[in-house]
Amino acid sequence: MKIINTITLVLLLAASATSAIAQSVEWRTSTLDNYWQLDKGVKFTATPNLGYEAVDVTTTRAQTMDGLGGTFNELGWDVLCQISPEQRQDVINKLFGADEANFTYCRMPIGSSDFAMNYYSLCDVDGDYDMVNFSIDRDRHILMRYIKEAQKVKPNLKMWASPWTPPAWMKTNNHYASTYDNDAVNHNGLPRNKEQELNTTGFRMEYGVLKAYALYFAKFCQAYENEGVKISAVCIQNEPCSPTKYSSCPWRPQDMAYFVGRFLGPRFEQDNIDTEIYLGTINRDNPDWSRVALDDPEAKKYWTGAGYQWDGRSAIPVIHKEYPRLKMIHTEAECGNGSNDWGAAEHTWWQISHYLRNGACVFSYWNMVLNADGMSPWGWKQNALVSVDPVRKTVRYNPEFYIMKHLCHWVNPGSVRLEIGSRDDILAFDNTDGTTTLVVVNRSDSARRLAIKLKNRFLNVELPPHSFHSALIK
């Protein structure tokens, strides 16, 4: 009788454990106009449902994530200052709060980007080779205030940075832009005869200027660290393959490598700056562009990673395989044309899936916050995660905010991506606390039924048409 009671107790405990496992899934779903909803019906079962498509989440570990987030730009902070302090704080909380979008690793420009309020650099005095006039005073009033507010919510927020342009006096055309603006509204004032050609270097490759620019990077890292903002990594140039009518500077890869190997790397060593140096941000589809820079005998010891965006999407799969020691990062989400709709969010998911499946340990959305019109100072209306109408004092969280929330909410620095074959509709991560995160997307017009297998258990889920999902599994 005692033996029977013991067996009964064991069976009851086993049933209780099974129940506990079944209750250990938190599944969140977003559909158009119905975001981040808790689905209490998703539970583990011992077998897959009949007719459900099998998905096997392996235990094969891929890259370790450094972090996920977006980009700080001046125009974002400017419009946040035009709403109430309570509204502004709510936006910051939703972007950086651990129980919200949970951004952990963000990008910032060094000097002006195309979403700065106007052109500037951190040393605009012509011929100041010793950086006597280097200053981040402007940033203290604009960009740094934005970052500091985020740090209040996310004290361990990581940052990486890149210039869109060197100081104008360091360029061959002595201008922040690189291309003549032939629109009806001339946004940059650059004469046609001072355009910088593609496949040339717009930087003055002179000893004094190269040395000064290395000092510029060093002083930037030091100045920000002195203000409590550690710069974890720098990319040398935003989109070096594109001379543009906004802040920009084309570089040939051999010239960028020359600068890093003989000036920037040694400068960081001399000043004991541990900021990582990445090639990028590369927007060229031909892997040869990257190879030229990465194989330079002097620069290769300083490269710790490479960053890709836009057309660089075609190069990252090749470079990731050929240079496995280097970190791969995604540097800028494709910004759309101001639609801020569900289709834009599905396109952002495609980028997330592509870059992470090809080794990226960072994903950087572009503008986190913009005025509702989304217009750049040079005439391109673009998307943002959050749109603010400063007249009506309203805040709108766009579908791209939610796809980023589904990605970032339960994925922190140190999480490891798990391999799932060639599928582009699901990502999985092992987290440092022993939990597992799934991010699943259905971009089709029909519902889909998946039997997701994790360690001999199954999550049988039905995904509505055009829906985003994420799950925390304990």
Side-chain angles (χ1 to χ4, degrees):
M1 187 68 173
K2 186 175 180 179
I3 294 174
I4 294 173
N5 287 339
T6 302
I7 292 172
T8 302
L9 179 60
V10 170
L11 291 173
L12 287 172
L13 289 172
S16 176
T18 301
S19 176
I21 289 173
Q23 294 171 358
S24 65
V25 182
E26 183 177 343
W27 186 277
R28 295 281 176 171
T29 293
S30 292
T31 55
L32 186 59
D33 299 324
N34 193 20
Y35 300 107
W36 200 250
Q37 298 301 304
L38 178 63
D39 187 342
K40 297 182 179 180
V42 178
K43 301 181 187 300
F44 276 110
T45 62
T47 58
N49 284 357
L50 187 64
Y52 278 46
E53 181 184 355
V55 179
D56 189 5
V57 178
T58 74
T59 57
T60 303
R61 293 160 71 87
Q63 76 271 27
T64 299
M65 302 304 297
D66 275 5
L68 306 160
T71 306
F72 292 96
N73 274 319
E74 285 191 337
L75 289 185
W77 181 247
D78 180 58
V79 76
L80 283 173
C81 289
Q82 298 178 55
I83 54 178
S84 72
E86 294 77 17
Q87 287 177 302
R88 180 166 61 249
Q89 188 61 54
D90 188 56
V91 172
I92 297 295
N93 289 343
K94 282 186 166 58
L95 288 169
F96 297 97
D99 57 347
E100 292 289 348
N102 188 37
F103 284 4
T104 56
Y105 198 175
C106 287
R107 181 188 189 185
M108 64 166 293
I110 304 174
S112 62
S113 72
D114 46 322
F115 276 80
M117 298 172 75
N118 49 39
Y119 292 124
Y120 79 103
S121 81
L122 306 181
C123 186
D124 283 327
V125 177
D126 190 358
D128 187 0
Y129 295 102
D130 295 324
M131 294 288 121
V132 173
N133 296 282
F134 180 94
S135 174
I136 60 168
D137 282 349
R138 170 170 171 153
D139 287 2
R140 286 191 180 97
H141 292 287
I142 307 174
L143 201 60
M144 190 176 289
R145 290 175 62 196
Y146 194 0
I147 296 168
K148 288 287 190 179
E149 288 303 309
Q151 284 184 320
K152 291 177 184 178
V153 177
K154 182 76 66 181
N156 58 347
L157 179 67
K158 297 174 66 177
M159 298 291 301
W160 72 271
S162 63
W164 267 242
T165 179
W169 61 271
M170 294 186 179
K171 293 179 60 182
T172 57
N173 68 354
N174 197 33
H175 198 286
Y176 295 99
S178 300
T179 301
Y180 169 73
D181 184 358
N182 59 1
D183 289 347
V185 178
N186 189 330
H187 295 93
N188 65 24
L190 179 69
R192 183 64 180 270
N193 62 1
K194 289 202 169 187
E195 277 195 329
Q196 294 176 314
E197 291 289 321
L198 185 63
N199 299 323
T200 65
T201 292
F203 188 84
R204 289 168 55 192
M205 296 296 293
E206 303 166 14
Y207 173 80
V209 184
L210 289 160
K211 186 177 178 182
Y213 199 35
L215 179 59
Y216 180 89
F217 271 92
K219 290 180 78 70
F220 164 75
C221 294
Q222 292 165 334
Y224 263 81
E225 185 160 7
N226 289 339
E227 297 287 341
V229 181
K230 169 69 176 175
I231 305 299
S232 297
V234 290
C235 281
I236 305 308
Q237 171 65 47
N238 178 70
E239 297 189 342
C241 310
S242 294
T244 61
K245 60 186 178 183
Y246 51 85
S247 296
S248 57
C249 184
W251 286 75
R252 298 189 311 160
Q254 54 267 48
D255 291 334
M256 186 176 288
Y258 189 88
F259 168 64
V260 168
R262 294 156 183 82
F263 294 90
L264 183 61
R267 183 81 219 190
F268 276 15
E269 284 183 335
Q270 175 186 323
D271 293 346
N272 295 313
I273 295 172
D274 61 359
T275 298
E276 296 182 322
I277 300 174
Y278 292 170
L279 176 65
T281 65
I282 303 161
N283 58 324
R284 176 65 60 86
D285 57 1
N286 187 348
D288 284 341
W289 198 99
S290 299
R291 292 184 183 112
V292 168
L294 293 174
D295 291 341
D296 180 274
E298 295 295 325
K300 66 194 313 181
K301 62 185 176 183
Y302 297 113
W303 298 124
T304 55
Y308 294 87
Q309 62 192 53
W310 291 85
D311 286 353
R313 70 177 89 88
S314 300
I316 190 173
V318 177
I319 299 301
H320 174 51
K321 290 178 181 176
E322 292 182 359
Y323 300 84
R325 75 169 184 87
L326 294 178
K327 291 182 180 180
M328 297 290 113
I329 70 170
H330 166 268
T331 47
E332 182 181 303
E334 297 168 21
C335 53
N337 296 298
S339 64
N340 290 317
D341 56 11
W342 191 270
E346 290 187 342
H347 181 65
T348 294
W349 164 258
W350 179 88
Q351 296 171 73
I352 291 167
S353 177
H354 173 76
Y355 280 94
L356 268 59
R357 287 186 296 107
N358 285 289
C361 61
V362 172
F363 187 90
S364 303
Y365 190 81
W366 180 216
N367 279 296
M368 295 183 287
V369 183
L370 282 180
N371 189 301
D373 67 14
M375 190 64 70
S376 75
W378 50 281
W380 186 1
K381 186 176 182 179
Q382 297 187 6
N383 293 353
L385 301 178
V386 184
S387 296
V388 175
D389 188 326
V391 177
R392 294 182 173 85
K393 309 298 182 186
T394 58
V395 176
R396 180 177 186 265
Y397 294 87
N398 298 315
E400 284 178 282
F401 169 84
Y402 289 98
I403 191 59
M404 289 298 294
K405 183 173 180 177
H406 277 282
L407 171 68
C408 303
H409 184 71
W410 285 310
V411 178
N412 287 295
S415 295
V416 178
R417 186 179 68 86
L418 300 174
E419 294 285 6
I420 315 182
S422 60
R423 300 188 69 103
D424 66 358
D425 59 346
I426 182 169
L427 292 169
F429 304 87
D430 265 350
N431 301 319
T432 56
D433 61 0
T435 60
T436 300
T437 296
L438 298 178
V439 187
V440 190
V441 169
N442 180 12
R443 292 182 290 161
S444 70
D445 294 331
S446 304
R448 299 183 66 192
R449 294 176 174 178
L450 301 182
I452 304 173
K453 182 181 179 183
L454 296 98
K455 299 178 181 177
N456 298 316
R457 297 177 294 161
F458 295 86
L459 285 174
N460 295 287
V461 294
E462 184 166 337
L463 312 179
H466 298 289
S467 57
F468 309 144
H469 311 264
S470 53
L472 181 68
I473 300 161
K474 297 181 180 178

